[in-house]
Amino acid sequence: MTTTPYASEAFLHQILGKAVGASASDVHLKVGQPPGARVHGDMVYFRAERLTPADTDAVARILLASRPSTLSNLPALRELDVAYEVPSLGRFRAHVYRQRGSLAVVMRSIPLAVPTFDALGIPHAARALADETSGLVLVAGAAGHGKSTTLAAMVGHINATYPRHVVTLEDPIELVHHDARASISQRELGTDTDDFPSGVRAALRQDPDVLMIGELRDAATLDAALEAAEAGLLVLSSVPVPDITRTVRRLVSLGASRERLSASLLGIVAQQLLPVPLGGGLMLAAEVLVVTDTVRAAIAQPEGSPPLRDLATKN
């Protein structure tokens, strides 16, 4: 029987600890290369042996230990998101996937503490959107540019400020919120609910004030999110596009009418993480569109209206 050090959870924790110590955002474990990490946007690799199929299989088994039904049918796994926590180190969003017939893993580092607006450098116009009571607020950006972290900061602000019930739908749960002034119900796809659309519709029966949906990834989720906003909830979500203009185009392409969207939308925060010169890490750059009557008209009837990017504030 082939033995591998990666069968030891303590060994995996050592790798993750070194990566976090180097300020890595992600850890990559793929057959044929040493363990890798993304540090300030660049891929770097550990001075270690190249990973074998037995190594990545062992890591996957550790990550999926809480999902026995998935673990029992591991050869059939194609891709799956799962949360993983290392005490005193942090939480990780692990994506287990298959490539060239073998398993691979990418683990996104998530801090234990919920970040604040000040710590992230969130613009004041974006912060004000979290104080609203009903409507749709979107965070846009490419993969890996901190959309989930900004949403978590918004939920954290509401939790610290208002006596509300917040329901989150996440795939998987990343940052864990502890009740402060608000009551936070965090639900994970595959564990607590089947999918985003059914989770949203169930949430409407859970007496919520605020609903956070991890991502508007399809037409059914978008329609459910708009229904929730129209029902008087504050709905927070993300869209995986890089700017404000393409956010609106994406929602329209998913089937939302411009009239319906303009009536429910409160604002869009489009963000990007940029490297700080001389290895200083990453900083947030954002443009914020706060919906006014002029913006509503531009969304509903773009012909003859100023471009949305011209109506946004930049930070």
Side-chain angles (χ1 to χ4, degrees), residues 6-86:
Y6 291 88
S8 165
E9 194 166 26
F11 186 78
L12 176 61
H13 290 183
Q14 288 180 14
I15 292 175
L16 296 175
K18 290 179 180 179
V20 170
S23 300
S25 61
D26 300 83
V27 176
H28 290 240
L29 303 171
K30 183 168 78 73
V31 170
Q33 67 182 26
R38 188 175 295 279
V39 180
H40 303 324
D42 295 327
M43 285 297 301
V44 298
Y45 295 92
F46 288 75
R47 293 180 180 177
E49 296 294 327
R50 296 175 185 271
L51 292 158
T52 68
D55 296 331
T56 57
D57 185 273
V59 172
R61 291 181 180 278
I62 291 172
L63 299 177
L64 298 172
S66 63
R67 300 194 178 196
S69 59
T70 302
L71 198 56
S72 64
N73 198 25
L74 194 58
L77 179 66
R78 297 295 177 261
E79 61 272 322
L80 181 71
D81 290 311
V82 64
Y84 182 73
E85 184 170 339
V86 181

Side-chain angles (χ1 to χ4, degrees), residues 281-304:
L282 299 170
M283 65 177 293
L284 181 73
E287 56 180 359
V288 183
L289 181 72
V290 176
V291 175
T292 61
D293 289 343
T294 301
V295 172
R296 292 191 196 283
I299 293 173
Q301 295 182 327
E303 298 81 7

Side-chain angles (χ1 to χ4, degrees), residues 11-260:
F11 186 78
L12 176 61
H13 290 183
Q14 288 180 14
I15 292 175
L16 296 175
K18 290 179 180 179
V20 170
S23 300
S25 61
D26 300 83
V27 176
H28 290 240
L29 303 171
K30 183 168 78 73
V31 170
Q33 67 182 26
R38 188 175 295 279
V39 180
H40 303 324
D42 295 327
M43 285 297 301
V44 298
Y45 295 92
F46 288 75
R47 293 180 180 177
E49 296 294 327
R50 296 175 185 271
L51 292 158
T52 68
D55 296 331
T56 57
D57 185 273
V59 172
R61 291 181 180 278
I62 291 172
L63 299 177
L64 298 172
S66 63
R67 300 194 178 196
S69 59
T70 302
L71 198 56
S72 64
N73 198 25
L74 194 58
L77 179 66
R78 297 295 177 261
E79 61 272 322
L80 181 71
D81 290 311
V82 64
Y84 182 73
E85 184 170 339
V86 181
S88 77
L89 184 61
R91 286 174 62 84
F92 297 84
R93 183 185 68 202
H95 183 73
V96 183
Y97 65 102
R98 197 169 293 278
Q99 64 90 35
R100 298 176 63 182
S102 61
L103 291 173
V105 177
V106 175
M107 301 182 70
R108 168 69 51 85
S109 177
I110 302 165
L112 287 172
V114 176
T116 64
F117 286 146
D118 287 339
L120 297 177
I122 301 293
H124 286 284
R127 304 180 190 199
L129 293 172
D131 293 317
E132 297 286 350
T133 56
S134 66
L136 179 63
V137 174
L138 298 176
V139 180
H145 283 266
K147 298 186 298 297
S148 296
T149 306
T150 296
L151 286 174
M154 288 182 171
V155 172
H157 169 75
I158 293 167
N159 188 23
T161 311
Y162 300 108
R164 297 176 180 170
H165 181 207
V166 181
V167 177
T168 76
L169 299 168
E170 304 175 65
D171 185 25
I173 291 172
E174 297 185 7
L175 284 152
V176 175
H177 297 270
H178 301 285
D179 295 346
R181 292 204 69 194
S183 172
I184 313 290
S185 298
Q186 293 186 260
R187 308 190 72 210
E188 183 169 295
L189 267 62
T191 302
D192 304 310
T193 189
D194 291 332
D195 52 47
F196 282 135
S198 60
V200 172
R201 293 189 171 100
L204 295 177
R205 299 188 294 273
Q206 294 157 12
D207 189 31
D209 300 291
V210 181
L211 178 61
M212 193 282 278
I213 306 167
E215 181 178 296
L216 299 183
R217 57 178 56 159
D218 52 43
T221 304
L222 173 58
D223 182 65
L226 288 171
E227 285 183 11
E230 291 162 350
L233 275 64
L234 176 63
V235 180
L236 313 173
S237 192
S238 73
V239 184
V241 294
D243 58 48
I244 285 169
T245 300
R246 277 180 276 192
T247 297
V248 174
R249 289 176 184 166
R250 173 66 178 270
L251 299 182
V252 171
S253 73
L254 288 176
S257 71
R258 288 184 171 273
E259 292 74 15
R260 189 183 187 197

